[in-house]
Amino acid sequence: MKLVIGNKNYSSWSLRPWLLLQYFQLPFEEQLISLAAADMHAQMAPFCPNYKVPVLLDGSLTVWDSLAICEYINEQYLDSVAWPEDIGQRARARAVCAEMHAGFTQLRSCLPMNCRREPAALELSDGVKADVGRIIEIWQQCLSLNGNSSGEQAHFLFGRFSIADAMFMPVVSRFHSYQISVPADVRQYMEHMLNLPAYQLWLKAAQNESETIAGAEV
Ligand SMILES: N[C@@H](CCC(=O)N[C@@H](CS)C(=O)NCC(=O)O)C(=O)O
């Protein structure tokens, strides 16, 4: 498998399938295309039908779109362990992923993912505050529903690591970079995610990149 991605520091969509592959230690090669390159479209042309990353190439198959890639990896290589086993939980996990995939536009545009940003708070607009509030609500509901029988909080949104955690990883990174204030249960979830060895590998690579995209530095 080859995963075509953008700059690790900035490419939030690329992080999702990359984290899934890395978490489950599936072998893959990666090809990075700079999102700031003048010839970005020419570099993408051989791989990316819609001129966006990420794209997964597996033999003769091309899968574009981060969520579709996660679904494919789960079915083809993970025996479906990356979705919850229970059908109701699986439906909830798909719903929160769809909400993430299609929404939170204020958060995404005002607080771009910038993994190596020195963490510091920003003044948030009402639109961003609304997105933050809804994300916290989703995480709290998932974490409280999926804790263990001794009342311990789940480490992941659906108990074990799932596509939902991969889909929300860029938001965890943003909440950290922009020092969004969160309740204790959410803080615990974020710390667990930020400390995942798979995310740490991504972060280290992002910190070693030298390229800066001015529009994503806020
Ligand atoms: N829905 C797509 C969105 C992909 C996307 O917008 N990728 C950005 C990089 S993070 C991109 O390729 N931007 C280049 C461009 O828009 O020209 C997905 O989930 O993969």
Side-chain angles (χ1 to χ4, degrees):
M1 274 186 284
K2 182 196 271 202
L3 187 67
V4 185
I5 58 174
N7 308 57
K8 285 189 169 147
N9 191 50
Y10 300 110
S11 186
S12 57
W13 304 95
S14 302
L15 169 54
R16 297 162 171 161
W18 190 96
L19 191 77
L20 187 74
L21 286 164
Q22 198 69 46
Y23 182 87
F24 287 105
Q25 303 195 334
L26 294 173
F28 68 104
E29 307 165 45
E30 64 183 57
Q31 174 152 348
L32 196 146
I33 295 178
S34 161
L35 297 172
D39 65 344
M40 178 184 80
H41 276 201
Q43 289 189 54
M44 286 181 174
F47 315 108
C48 312
N50 61 347
Y51 293 98
K52 291 199 187 302
V53 287
V55 169
L56 183 78
L57 307 167
D58 193 13
S60 59
L61 180 69
T62 297
V63 190
W64 63 102
D65 186 88
S66 53
L67 185 52
I69 296 170
C70 291
E71 290 271 14
Y72 171 74
I73 294 165
N74 182 49
E75 288 183 15
Q76 180 73 327
Y77 295 106
L78 295 175
D79 204 14
S80 294
V81 296
W83 284 128
E85 212 177 321
D86 174 79
I87 187 168
Q89 288 294 73
R90 202 156 63 243
R92 287 184 65 87
R94 286 200 164 107
V96 301
C97 288
E99 190 173 343
M100 175 70 249
H101 209 40
F104 308 123
T105 49
Q106 288 297 310
L107 177 94
R108 293 212 300 241
S109 63
C110 300
L111 305 182
M113 188 175 92
N114 179 353
C115 299
R116 60 172 182 252
R117 184 179 195 268
E118 194 58 48
L122 275 189
E123 188 70 42
L124 305 182
S125 68
D126 288 347
V128 174
K129 282 183 192 157
D131 283 352
V132 165
R134 175 63 188 144
I135 290 165
I136 289 175
E137 181 178 59
I138 291 172
W139 287 354
Q140 286 190 306
Q141 279 170 356
C142 291
L143 293 170
S144 71
L145 275 173
N146 291 292
N148 68 20
S149 52
S150 352
E152 263 175 65
Q153 179 177 313
H155 282 145
F156 297 111
L157 295 176
F158 290 89
R160 64 183 189 215
F161 183 84
S162 74
I163 291 174
D165 300 292
M167 290 295 289
F168 278 102
M169 186 73 236
V171 174
V172 171
S173 165
R174 285 174 164 101
F175 275 26
H176 174 67
S177 300
Y178 299 100
Q179 293 286 284
I180 304 291
S181 111
V182 294
D185 51 351
V186 168
R187 163 71 37 213
Q188 197 179 316
Y189 168 65
M190 283 176 52
E191 273 165 18
H192 190 71
M193 291 293 290
L194 291 166
N195 285 315
L196 286 180
Y199 178 68
Q200 286 292 315
L201 282 176
W202 176 276
L203 177 63
K204 199 157 188 244
Q207 286 164 338
N208 286 333
E209 288 173 353
S210 52
E211 194 169 36
T212 297
I213 299 182
E217 294 286 334
V218 298

